[in-house]
Amino acid sequence: MADFDYDLFVIGGGSGGVRAARIAAGHGARVALAEEFRVGGTCVIRGCVPKKLLVYASRFADDFRDAAGFGWTVGKPKFDWADLIAAKDAEIGRLEKIYRANLNNAGVAIIDSRATVAGPHEVNIAVSGTKVTARHILVSTGAWPNFGDAFPGIEHVITSNEIFDLKTQPKRLVVVGGGYIAVEFASLMNGLGTDTTLIYRGPQILRGFDDDIRTHVADALRARGVKIICNDRLTAVDETGSGLLVSTREGAQIETDKVLFAIGRAPHTRGLGLEGAGVELDSVGAIVVDAYSASSVPSIHAVGDVTDRVNLTPVAIREGH
């Protein structure tokens, strides 16, 4: 049998990739994991964890307001965005250290670099310009935010990747999208004191949910001060002397500080060299796999959001396991 540098090479340090690497190493395999940013993936670094921390922070406004009715005397509350983001960064840093420690303790070699597929058993390491071989390759690079159709000024738009790292809190925010992520961001930013507008192309937010729930959530958001515009979409974003000017298809013009796109995510496969290695991708760029997470190339496998099956952290973990 051919001699390989590793038994398993994992590209992507998210939930699925980390679990696969740890379990394989625990069975005695020689395993390496390459991650170009931070270990932890979408959930820990730019998804569930930071989002939940901001949600919790936004809920304190109601608690302070209700406290007097329960006998508490609370001074005028004051919120500081920079303090929240610093605390969020500290928590994510703590979690990443745990992920790294678990990989190190399992004997996994961590490579802090972008890695791409060079062939059925070959991987290119960007930071060193070298090539390594592996009996099996696992792609677990997750998903990346969608921007939809291009329009003038799209370069001014941010996504959930960036909002958690803003140095200052936007006083005004336009959120584009009508799914639960867009609605959640609109709600939490409103709770933190940002003047928030939600724009959705459909007739009602939260498509696919129970209609009574959709109506109730929309009414509750409006009652809290979130402006919801349905049946409309952005056509341009222009810089002004005081921020950004959003223009829509129906003729609305909204002055804002930031525009947040939350219109979904797509498999993060671009530029990974998969097509050149013969790996089949579907119409949205997801890696096509069988029930055992094997791609069209028997030695190359994929788990998690990059396969666009059930895009949830616990599912990716079990697939990796």
Side-chain angles (χ1 to χ4, degrees):
M1 297 180 67
D3 186 25
F4 299 99
D5 297 318
Y6 298 101
D7 297 307
L8 174 66
F9 195 102
V10 180
I11 301 176
S15 299
V18 167
R19 176 59 66 91
R22 287 177 54 201
I23 297 303
H27 284 292
R30 296 167 300 162
V31 182
L33 181 147
E35 170 55 52
E36 64 179 307
F37 183 52
R38 300 179 72 177
V39 176
T42 297
C43 184
V44 173
I45 305 300
R46 62 185 75 85
C48 322
V49 173
K51 188 273 306 288
K52 284 185 174 69
L53 293 175
L54 266 64
V55 168
Y56 296 154
S58 72
R59 289 168 54 181
F60 276 103
D62 287 336
D63 293 338
F64 290 136
R65 197 158 35 239
D66 292 342
F70 293 93
W72 288 92
T73 300
V74 179
K76 185 177 180 180
K78 179 179 179 294
F79 172 70
D80 191 294
W81 173 270
D83 286 348
L84 173 61
I85 298 304
K88 178 270 299 180
D89 289 341
E91 175 62 9
I92 289 175
R94 183 186 73 85
L95 292 173
E96 189 193 14
K97 286 181 180 178
I98 294 174
Y99 272 69
R100 285 180 173 271
N102 288 340
L103 287 169
N104 284 323
N105 292 339
V108 176
I110 303 174
I111 301 172
D112 293 302
S113 171
R114 176 175 176 79
T116 56
V117 176
H121 297 283
E122 295 179 319
V123 176
N124 287 324
I125 309 298
V127 71
S128 61
T130 58
K131 183 179 293 184
V132 299
T133 59
R135 189 181 307 279
H136 294 278
I137 298 169
L138 173 63
V139 181
S140 55
T141 49
W144 204 249
N146 284 330
F147 286 92
D149 297 330
F151 57 82
I154 195 171
E155 67 272 13
H156 303 308
V157 168
I158 65 171
T159 70
S160 57
N161 284 0
E162 294 84 30
I163 192 168
F164 296 119
D165 296 314
L166 294 179
K167 300 301 181 184
T168 58
Q169 179 182 0
K171 295 180 180 179
R172 304 163 297 178
L173 177 68
V174 170
V175 180
V176 178
Y180 55 87
I181 300 299
V183 170
E184 208 166 19
F185 272 114
S187 178
L188 74 88
M189 292 304 291
N190 168 259
L192 294 175
T194 294
D195 181 3
T196 306
T197 300
L198 181 65
I199 299 177
Y200 177 50
R201 64 182 180 178
Q204 179 61 287
I205 61 173
L206 298 175
R207 179 173 62 88
F209 285 76
D210 177 87
D211 284 342
D212 287 342
I213 290 176
R214 298 170 71 190
T215 300
H216 175 75
V217 172
D219 290 345
L221 286 171
R222 288 189 174 103
R224 292 176 67 88
V226 177
K227 293 177 282 294
I228 301 178
I229 301 172
C230 291
N231 291 316
D232 207 354
R233 62 178 65 198
L234 266 65
T235 56
V237 178
D238 296 300
E239 282 189 299
T240 68
S242 58
L244 301 172
L245 179 65
V246 170
S247 300
T248 75
R249 182 186 59 192
E250 299 301 316
Q253 290 200 316
I254 306 164
E255 292 186 349
T256 187
D257 298 310
K258 295 291 182 182
V259 178
L260 171 67
F261 261 45
I263 60 172
R265 299 170 75 87
H268 194 25
T269 54
R270 185 177 300 178
L272 285 180
L274 296 168
E275 298 93 330
V279 175
E280 180 185 357
L281 305 179
D282 69 11
S283 59
V284 298
I287 299 175
V288 178
V289 294
D290 63 17
Y292 297 94
S293 294
S295 76
S296 56
V297 178
S299 59
I300 300 178
H301 315 264
V303 297
D305 292 4
V306 77
T307 67
D308 197 32
R309 291 179 287 180
V310 181
N311 297 337
L312 295 170
T313 297
V315 173
I317 289 172
R318 296 314 303 173
E319 289 172 356
H321 196 119

